[in-house]
Amino acid sequence: MDIKTATALRRLRLVSAPEAVSFLLLLVCSVLKRTTDFNAVPVMGAVHGFLFVLYVVFWADAWNRARWSARTGILYFVLSVLPTGGFFAERRLKREAEDSVVASRVVAEGVKA
C-alpha cells in the first residue's frame, strides 16, 4: 500500500467515529427538542452535516485509492448513514490498515507467509 492510500484510509478512519458521535448527539438533541425547551438541533445539525460531508469526501477518495470492491465501498457508505455505523467503520478500517502494514512488511522482507 502506498502512502497516499494509507493516508486516505487514515483520514476516513479519523472522521468516522466523530461522525457517528455527532449523529447520536443529533438524535439526542432531536428528542430533547420535542420533550423540553432545549433546542440544540441547529448547531448539532450543522456539525453533523459538516462531518458527514467530510466522511463522504474521504470515503470517495479512499474507495478510489484503495480500489475496494463495490461491496466494500458500499458497505462503508451504508455504515455512514447508520447511527452507530461509524464506530464499526473505524474498527474495520483500523484492522485493514494493520493487515496492510503486516503484508507490506512480509513483502519487503521477502518472508513467506
Side-chain angles (χ1 to χ4, degrees):
M1 176 182 305
D2 66 340
I3 191 72
K4 289 184 179 183
T5 304
T7 302
L9 292 175
R10 187 170 196 283
R11 277 193 310 248
L12 181 60
R13 188 178 138 234
L14 289 176
V15 78
S16 63
E19 190 270 337
V21 169
S22 72
F23 194 179
L24 292 173
L25 288 174
L26 180 59
L27 293 175
V28 169
C29 288
S30 295
V31 170
L32 289 175
K33 177 183 174 184
R34 284 157 180 59
T35 59
T36 67
D37 291 334
F38 183 74
N39 185 11
V41 171
V43 173
M44 279 314 302
V47 169
H48 174 66
F50 175 75
L51 289 171
F52 180 75
V53 168
L54 260 172
Y55 184 95
V56 170
V57 168
F58 292 161
W59 165 78
D61 185 40
W63 190 357
N64 182 38
R65 291 187 186 279
R67 293 182 174 85
W68 287 329
S69 65
R71 181 179 180 262
T72 302
I74 291 169
L75 171 69
Y76 282 120
F77 183 78
V78 168
L79 287 175
S80 74
V81 297
L82 298 175
T84 58
F87 299 120
F88 295 106
E90 194 273 335
R91 187 177 302 148
R92 285 181 58 105
L93 288 164
K94 183 177 180 182
R95 193 173 331 128
E96 186 176 328
E98 289 170 352
D99 291 347
S100 67
V101 167
V102 169
S104 66
R105 285 184 181 162
V106 167
V107 169
E109 294 175 4
V111 178
K112 292 186 179 183

